[in-house]
Amino acid sequence: MSTYLIGDIHGCYQEFCQLLEQVAFDPSQDELWLTGDLVARGPNSLEVLRKVKSLGDSVRIVLGNHDLHLLAVFAGISKNKSKDRLQPLLEAEDCDDLINWLRRQPLLQIDHDKQLIMAHAGITPQWDLPTAQRCAKDIEAVLASDSYPLLLDAMYGDMPNNWSENLSGLARLRFSTNALTRMRYCFPAGQLDMICKEKPEEATPPLKPWFDIPTQIPPSYTIVFGHWASLEGKGTPSNVIGLDTGCCWGGSLTLLRWEDGRYFHQPSTQLKAEE
């Protein structure tokens, strides 16, 4: 049995299948972890969702900001942008089934035996692991309920940006959603900055990448994340691994085999997605 971790697919179905073929992925015995943002920008979001759903219990995913955006579009809360190339998915006969499956997926994956953590954007330095688990489960419970449009409507916004156990209701859910699916930079005390998207060497002080601020996560654990394609998988501490290498932007789709630390790459066959 092997554990394979793949960065943001973004509708790049052909590259996804080719990458699985590279490693001879066997869903009957292997495990596949996906960092989120399964959909949008690439050409085949529908096929990606169908494929991932068909893999059943062999796959472990986390939701990313683009996956949540799809749910918001489906619920009539957000506009369907042509650059996201979601129309074939929204018009598919199995769209309802795929959406109901997607909104029941987690925002955090943890394997204590492997000491492995996966979140789409990462883990804010203001959280320890139990707090991250609680906050992820809060979001997951709402998304799986009939009240999920309320969360999707409230998640758009950059405040509050400072964690407190006193946060409650939609403000708490918005902070948690931003931390798990949108975060890149933090202020030195850990408050989220939701504006800067530059490469770390171009960021304005005192902002730092979230992974460069002291964490409350035990150092024996490795955090795997996606979301930040411009990093190209570089510049993180040894126990933090970024796997988004920008397939939909003309880069590649990257896979890490956990057991031996070997990387596999599938170059993009797509034209660069629209910004």
Side-chain angles (χ1 to χ4, degrees), residues 1 30 44 46 139 147 162 173 220 224 259:
M1 172 184 169
D30 297 329
N44 300 115
L46 172 60
I139 301 168
S147 300
N162 189 48
L173 291 169
S220 59
V224 174
E259 284 72 22

Side-chain angles (χ1 to χ4, degrees), residues 32-48:
L32 181 65
W33 291 48
L34 304 175
T35 64
D37 277 2
L38 303 178
V39 302
R41 305 302 174 95
N44 300 115
S45 293
L46 172 60
E47 290 77 7
V48 169

Side-chain angles (χ1 to χ4, degrees), residues 1 48 76 101 111 118 122 125 127 138 140 142 152 169 176 180 189 205 228 231 237-238 251 274:
M1 172 184 169
V48 169
W101 167 80
D111 188 314
M118 182 173 69
W127 282 348
D138 288 345
E140 293 160 13
V142 179
L152 297 172
S176 300
L180 289 165
W228 202 340
L231 292 178
S238 59
E274 182 181 349

Side-chain angles (χ1 to χ4, degrees), residues 3-7 19-20 23 25 32 243 245 253-258 262-266:
T3 306
Y4 299 109
L5 302 102
I6 297 181
L19 198 51
L20 294 180
V23 297
F25 172 72
L32 181 65
L243 285 179
T245 48
L253 194 61
T254 293
L255 177 150
L256 167 63
R257 186 163 58 202
W258 178 250
R262 182 179 174 188
Y263 287 87
F264 300 81
H265 305 279
Q266 184 62 47

Side-chain angles (χ1 to χ4, degrees), residues 62-104:
V62 291
L63 296 178
N65 53 305
H66 283 274
D67 305 315
L68 294 177
H69 171 68
L70 167 62
L71 297 179
V73 170
F74 179 82
I77 291 163
S78 186
K79 292 183 179 179
N80 179 23
K81 304 171 185 176
S82 60
K83 65 183 179 181
D84 285 329
R85 305 166 83 174
L86 293 173
Q87 198 60 35
L89 168 55
L90 295 169
E91 293 177 351
E93 60 182 16
D94 55 345
C95 179
D96 286 14
D97 185 45
L98 293 169
I99 291 292
N100 286 329
W101 167 80
L102 188 66
R103 69 183 178 91
R104 288 171 170 82

Side-chain angles (χ1 to χ4, degrees), residues 112 115 117 127-130 215-223 239:
H112 292 292
Q115 297 194 306
I117 302 166
W127 282 348
D128 58 18
L129 194 51
T215 179
Q216 300 181 57
I217 304 300
S220 59
Y221 280 77
T222 296
I223 301 173
N239 63 338

Side-chain angles (χ1 to χ4, degrees), residues 23-254:
V23 297
F25 172 72
D26 182 351
S28 69
Q29 61 181 14
D30 297 329
E31 191 170 77
L32 181 65
W33 291 48
L34 304 175
T35 64
D37 277 2
L38 303 178
V39 302
R41 305 302 174 95
N44 300 115
S45 293
L46 172 60
E47 290 77 7
V48 169
L49 286 191
R50 285 173 173 170
K51 174 70 172 181
V52 175
K53 183 174 181 290
S54 75
L55 294 174
D57 293 339
S58 67
V59 67
R60 297 176 67 167
I61 77 170
V62 291
L63 296 178
N65 53 305
H66 283 274
D67 305 315
L68 294 177
H69 171 68
L70 167 62
L71 297 179
V73 170
F74 179 82
I77 291 163
S78 186
K79 292 183 179 179
N80 179 23
K81 304 171 185 176
S82 60
K83 65 183 179 181
D84 285 329
R85 305 166 83 174
L86 293 173
Q87 198 60 35
L89 168 55
L90 295 169
E91 293 177 351
E93 60 182 16
D94 55 345
C95 179
D96 286 14
D97 185 45
L98 293 169
I99 291 292
N100 286 329
W101 167 80
L102 188 66
R103 69 183 178 91
R104 288 171 170 82
Q105 300 308 306
L107 279 86
L108 184 68
Q109 293 280 4
I110 302 174
D111 188 314
H112 292 292
D113 292 333
K114 295 182 174 71
Q115 297 194 306
L116 178 60
I117 302 166
M118 182 173 69
H120 177 64
I123 305 292
T124 170
Q126 293 190 321
W127 282 348
D128 58 18
L129 194 51
T131 302
Q133 290 178 285
R134 287 198 307 273
C135 291
K137 287 186 180 299
D138 288 345
I139 301 168
E140 293 160 13
V142 179
L143 283 177
S145 75
D146 292 339
S147 300
Y148 78 98
L150 295 176
L151 167 62
L152 297 172
D153 189 38
M155 72 179 179
Y156 293 102
D158 297 341
M159 293 303 227
N161 73 333
N162 189 48
W163 171 249
S164 168
E165 284 289 357
N166 294 325
L167 286 176
S168 61
L170 293 175
R172 184 184 180 102
L173 291 169
R174 186 185 303 116
F175 177 92
S176 300
T177 302
N178 284 340
L180 289 165
T181 70
R182 293 181 58 211
M183 171 184 68
R184 289 187 178 90
Y185 288 97
C186 294
F187 292 95
Q191 301 96 329
L192 306 181
D193 173 82
M194 306 307 301
I195 298 174
C196 183
K197 296 183 180 180
E198 307 300 326
K199 294 181 179 180
E201 59 270 22
E202 299 170 358
T204 302
L207 295 179
K208 294 183 177 181
W210 63 267
F211 47 76
D212 281 342
I213 296 174
T215 179
Q216 300 181 57
I217 304 300
S220 59
Y221 280 77
T222 296
I223 301 173
V224 174
F225 71 105
H227 185 56
W228 202 340
S230 64
L231 292 178
E232 299 178 341
K234 303 171 184 176
T236 59
S238 59
N239 63 338
V240 177
I241 300 172
L243 285 179
D244 184 4
T245 48
C247 188
C248 71
W249 311 109
S252 63
L253 194 61
T254 293

